[in-house]
Amino acid sequence: MTPADAIRNVGIIAHVDAGKTTLTERILHNTGTIRYMGDVRDGNTVTDSLPQERQRGISIISAAVTCTWSQTQINVIDTPGHIDFTAEVERTLSVMDGAIAVFCALRGVQAQSETVWRQARRHAIPTIAFINKLDRPGADHRRAVRQLKEKLLVNAVPLQFPLERDDGSIGLVDLLTGDVLNADGQPAAQKLDFNANPDASAAHSHLVECLAESDDVILNAYLENTIPSPETLRAALRRAVIRRNLVPVLFGSALRNVGVPQLLDAVRDYLPSPADRHQTQGSTAEELNATVFKVVDQGGPEGPIAYLRIYTGTLTLDRQVWNVHRQENFTPTQLYRVYAEMFEPINGAGAGDIVAVSGVGTTLRTGDTLATGPHPAITADMTFPEPVVSMVIEPVAGIPAASFDAALQRFCREDPTLKAKPGPLPGQWTLAGMGELHLDVVRDRIKTDFGMDTRAGNGKVEYRDTIAAPAAVTYHFTKQLTNLEHIITADIELDVTPLHNGAGLEILFPPDSADWPEDQREAIAAGIRDFINAEAEGFPLTDMRIRIVAAKHDAGEAAALAFLTATRLALADAIAKARRVKMEPVMRLEVSTPQDHLGSVIADLSARRARITEVDSLALGAARITALVPLAELLGYATAIRTLSSGRADFVAEPAVYEPAPQDHVKQAPTTDLG
Ligand code: GDP
């Protein structure tokens, strides 16, 4: 087992096309994990395993692969670059300890990189910036660094100085040592003489000064006018990066494999190990605490594979563990370390590590917590945004309903932001997700993975309800069942509390619920589920907490049924007291458009109840509009904006919040005639 301080769990975050796939692949090559270098342009890279990812140029599925760089085990977590899949980004961010943010030297900081950056900041993830594509004509590394500071408001500090050579090739000077790297990635015989290159010298001084600002050791050396050794600077940098006082910037070309080994050194030297990030407070080292952050079904004989992040304790093959969310036992049939496409069976893994397990069956789902020891409460460790849009779909004639349903269920297991249920008509299903593109991609995958063509109706907004005030209820249920001799009873005490906008739905069980009979817990959970999904009650509930305070019953038979009913009725009572409020999903929209279409795009947005929050001028006569727009007004926006801008404007949209909906907007029937 690898000790936690020799592990780096690193995600690569980037705007689509910045070079994330190429870089990941080069990292795997440099560390000897894969033997030949694929090129995205040839479509044979390792991390993008689905054909439509290449077609659309986006990475939807995040995989975690392990590689080793000078005795450090680096688990590379691939994150999706497209904004419609922020739940995926969110999920991978929650299991990584550090990140490499890739930027394109031509395009600098783009809209989506800002979004992903905000998420990384929310998770307090120490980050290294890699400015890629330095080989491209028109690459402007200075502008890219400036944008990091101005747009992302980070203390971006270059660790290298790019040498601009007359022949257009790239050279990189290591500002800590003066070592020079040639365009072929090989070190030059001579170090750079800082005295002979005032720009490089200024960059070196800037680095030392930035460190002096945050580190006493360097400050003292600086005041005494001594030059700290590269080792001292490196140690200070590590402290500063882990405290998130600065973001080191490295440069290179993933395509030409320039700067990639130096980036790996930086990951080892400056990004935190799991031990730097997670204390094991509150649980002894033997107790396992692990999170399932990904379930993938590749159709192999081992069935679905789950990727786990182990926070404390160890996971071994022979040990049964407790699935806190499902309230049931789980025993892995095999543990694996994943090297690109190869799965190596291992016997165990320790705190800080990321591993894959089989034996998942249909029980383990993304977001589940696995534990040993007394870990009774169901906590909201990993919350997922709720679907904001749905669509009725049906397979084309000749596809058996059971196989189609199985295909849908597979996607839902892998992606907790996707929901599928049968109806509204026989032979139809309702698919719900994070945006119209999300659902389109799922339909594509049903076709490519299963060869099933589908027809789909229009997107439909998923409205929600919340509550206006807290309420508490104690409910006593009693009934004489005709087929049983005795009376059954169940007492349930619960309360409901409104939560802040965007909090989702939180369900809490009391700490002693681990000692409750399994069918009782399950029945209460089912009662809650039934109630929140019951269409007759209103829209599904969000931004609130349902807390089960206590539950008692008369130890007789049919207790489960009594609890299910009692929970439903108690909840109905509590929600009625707390007053329902209708909410609609509002999307954060970013439109990039040429300046000449700016006026018409803004006018159109205003007609869509948009609140424009920012209008930015970009390079090359482009502008960016950021706005909050109700999703109800954005259905079919892709077509509308194409018409409006003669195909020159582009947009991305992600669910932002649910807000109270104007009454006259909350009505729509599902489309069942799919034409
Ligand atoms: P992703 O969408 O961020 O995963 O980006 P890809 O790795 O798929 O790269 C997008 C495109 O940029 C591909 O055509 C790559 O070959 C190209 N690319 C990536 N890195 C570099 C680089 O360093 N230099 C040049 N010139 N092209 C690059």
Side-chain angles (χ1 to χ4, degrees):
M1 276 179 223
T2 320
D5 60 3
I7 298 176
R8 302 287 179 274
N9 294 313
V10 181
I12 303 183
I13 56 180
H15 187 281
V16 171
D17 250 22
K20 190 182 62 190
T21 310
T22 311
L23 178 65
T24 307
E25 208 260 353
R26 295 299 186 257
I27 287 176
L28 297 181
H29 178 80
N30 278 274
T31 54
T33 313
I34 47 173
R35 240 165 280 147
Y36 60 92
M37 286 199 268
D39 188 328
V40 184
R41 289 177 298 192
D42 305 336
N44 67 346
T45 53
V46 175
T47 47
D48 272 4
S49 54
L50 299 166
Q52 67 273 31
E53 286 179 22
R54 278 171 223 152
Q55 276 165 21
R56 286 177 189 256
I58 53 179
S59 260
I60 302 155
I61 295 300
S62 49
V65 291
T66 297
C67 54
T68 308
W69 183 250
S70 60
Q71 274 92 54
T72 305
Q73 178 189 317
I74 303 178
N75 297 320
V76 181
I77 304 152
D78 185 30
T79 58
H82 197 279
I83 213 162
D84 246 21
F85 301 92
T86 42
E88 289 251 3
V89 181
E90 197 75 31
R91 193 189 311 155
T92 45
L93 284 169
S94 70
V95 297
M96 61 174 113
D97 301 311
I100 301 169
V102 186
F103 299 92
C104 167
L106 279 88
R107 292 166 154 240
V109 175
Q110 293 166 274
Q112 286 171 36
S113 15
E114 285 181 57
T115 306
V116 183
W117 193 278
R118 274 201 300 274
Q119 284 170 314
R121 190 161 51 201
R122 197 144 40 84
H123 287 266
I125 296 176
T127 305
I128 294 175
F130 183 71
I131 314 267
N132 190 32
K133 302 198 188 184
L134 229 58
D135 59 309
R136 287 272 304 267
D140 187 343
H141 59 88
R142 289 192 179 81
R143 189 181 67 124
V145 174
R146 212 166 44 238
Q147 287 189 346
L148 280 175
K149 292 182 184 169
E150 288 169 3
K151 290 194 169 177
L152 303 180
L153 303 175
V154 295
N155 188 11
V157 184
L159 302 191
Q160 294 165 327
F161 181 77
L163 293 172
E164 284 149 35
R165 300 212 163 105
D166 293 341
D167 62 357
S169 68
I170 326 158
L172 289 173
V173 179
D174 182 333
L175 289 174
L176 296 180
T177 59
D179 290 336
V180 180
L181 205 64
N182 283 330
D184 55 5
Q186 297 304 312
Q190 298 258 306
K191 279 181 188 280
L192 184 88
D193 178 6
F194 280 116
N195 294 326
N197 187 327
D199 286 345
S201 171
H204 171 78
S205 305
H206 177 64
L207 169 61
V208 177
E209 280 159 19
C210 285
L211 284 174
E213 272 172 27
S214 71
D215 201 284
D216 285 347
V217 179
I218 307 298
L219 180 65
N220 290 335
Y222 185 73
L223 294 176
E224 287 162 13
N225 232 347
T226 55
I227 297 174
S229 69
E231 289 69 39
T232 312
L233 287 172
R234 251 180 232 124
L237 252 170
R238 178 174 181 80
R239 288 190 290 273
V241 173
I242 292 176
R243 282 199 304 260
R244 295 189 307 123
N245 288 341
L246 61 81
V247 172
V249 184
L250 288 100
F251 303 90
S253 160
L255 190 67
R256 308 205 182 288
N257 200 31
V258 174
V260 179
Q262 289 68 30
L263 179 63
L264 284 164
D265 284 346
V267 166
R268 175 200 58 205
D269 293 343
Y270 310 130
L271 287 183
S273 78
D276 291 316
R277 291 264 297 171
H278 294 275
Q279 262 107 45
T280 53
Q281 281 168 355
S283 60
T284 65
E286 289 78 44
E287 281 174 20
L288 174 77
N289 187 327
T291 300
V292 179
F293 69 96
K294 178 96 206 155
V295 178
V296 204
D297 189 343
Q298 282 150 334
E302 65 289 328
I305 297 283
Y307 288 81
L308 304 179
R309 159 78 200 243
I310 303 173
Y311 288 95
T312 60
T314 54
L315 182 68
T316 47
L317 251 188
D318 47 2
R319 191 162 176 204
Q320 194 179 56
V321 295
W322 180 243
N323 182 339
V324 179
H325 284 74
R326 311 277 150 229
Q327 300 278 296
E328 62 188 17
N329 285 317
F330 169 71
T331 312
T333 54
Q334 188 53 266
L335 306 185
Y336 302 96
R337 189 166 296 299
V338 182
Y339 297 101
E341 279 155 338
M342 195 184 80
F343 284 62
E344 179 192 59
I346 52 173
N347 292 325
D353 216 337
I354 286 178
V355 290
V357 300
S358 60
V360 171
T362 53
T363 57
L364 221 54
R365 283 179 180 246
T366 303
D368 285 358
T369 298
L370 300 180
T372 53
H375 281 265
I378 297 175
T379 50
D381 312 311
M382 223 183 208
T383 54
F384 297 107
E386 296 166 62
V388 292
V389 65
S390 69
M391 203 179 258
V392 177
I393 67 167
E394 60 188 28
V396 295
I399 296 170
S403 350
F404 187 67
D405 192 63
L408 286 181
Q409 291 318 320
R410 198 195 92 182
F411 290 116
C412 293
R413 255 205 319 279
E414 290 178 8
D415 177 356
T417 64
L418 182 73
K419 304 262 152 58
K421 59 174 193 220
L425 298 182
Q428 296 187 329
W429 278 259
T430 304
L431 203 58
M434 306 313 294
E436 287 184 289
L437 175 65
H438 186 195
L439 301 184
D440 280 351
V441 169
V442 173
R443 286 182 61 210
D444 268 12
R445 288 190 57 193
I446 296 174
K447 182 165 168 47
T448 48
D449 292 14
F450 293 91
M452 296 175 183
D453 271 311
T454 52
R455 271 193 299 271
N458 294 329
K460 168 177 165 273
V461 177
E462 291 283 296
Y463 292 98
R464 302 266 159 200
D465 285 350
T466 190
I467 49 171
V473 164
T474 304
Y475 198 91
H476 177 68
F477 175 84
T478 169
K479 188 165 176 68
Q480 168 120 44
L481 291 182
T482 43
N483 58 344
L484 291 172
E485 309 249 292
H486 64 287
I487 295 171
I488 57 165
T489 67
D491 287 306
I492 187 118
E493 190 183 337
L494 57 81
D495 56 35
V496 294
T497 319
L499 295 180
H500 66 86
N501 215 326
L505 178 68
E506 211 177 282
I507 298 169
L508 288 181
F509 276 67
D512 69 352
S513 64
D515 307 328
W516 295 356
E518 202 161 315
D519 59 343
Q520 170 180 338
R521 248 186 340 251
E522 184 40 46
I524 294 173
I528 297 174
R529 259 194 322 268
D530 279 7
F531 180 82
I532 52 185
N533 294 326
E535 270 159 37
E537 302 284 354
F539 295 111
L541 293 160
T542 191
D543 293 351
M544 61 172 290
R545 177 187 301 131
I546 298 172
R547 189 168 65 111
I548 304 296
V549 181
K552 275 205 311 276
H553 71 111
D554 66 349
E557 284 175 76
L561 182 62
F563 271 117
L564 190 133
T565 318
T567 307
R568 269 199 77 144
L569 295 173
L571 206 48
D573 216 7
I575 301 294
K577 276 192 185 165
R579 279 201 329 280
R580 275 183 186 262
V581 184
K582 300 252 171 301
M583 310 280 279
E584 67 174 345
V586 174
M587 307 291 277
R588 183 177 300 108
L589 174 78
E590 293 183 350
V591 185
S592 309
T593 171
Q595 289 279 1
D596 21 333
H597 295 294
L598 187 59
S600 49
V601 171
I602 290 182
D604 172 70
L605 281 177
S606 307
R608 294 174 188 270
R609 293 193 283 138
R611 273 164 291 154
I612 292 171
T613 49
E614 208 180 327
V615 180
D616 259 350
S617 285
L618 302 179
L620 308 171
R624 181 174 62 222
I625 307 156
T626 314
L628 290 167
V629 194
L631 176 62
E633 308 288 346
L634 276 186
L635 296 178
Y637 189 61
T639 316
I641 190 141
R642 217 175 298 134
T643 315
L644 207 63
S645 68
S646 321
R648 294 177 62 209
D650 226 342
F651 78 98
V652 286
E654 60 168 341
V657 288
Y658 268 88
E659 289 182 348
Q663 259 322 304
D664 51 336
H665 285 277
V666 192
K667 51 172 184 276
Q668 59 178 352
T671 324
T672 51
D673 177 9
L674 309 186

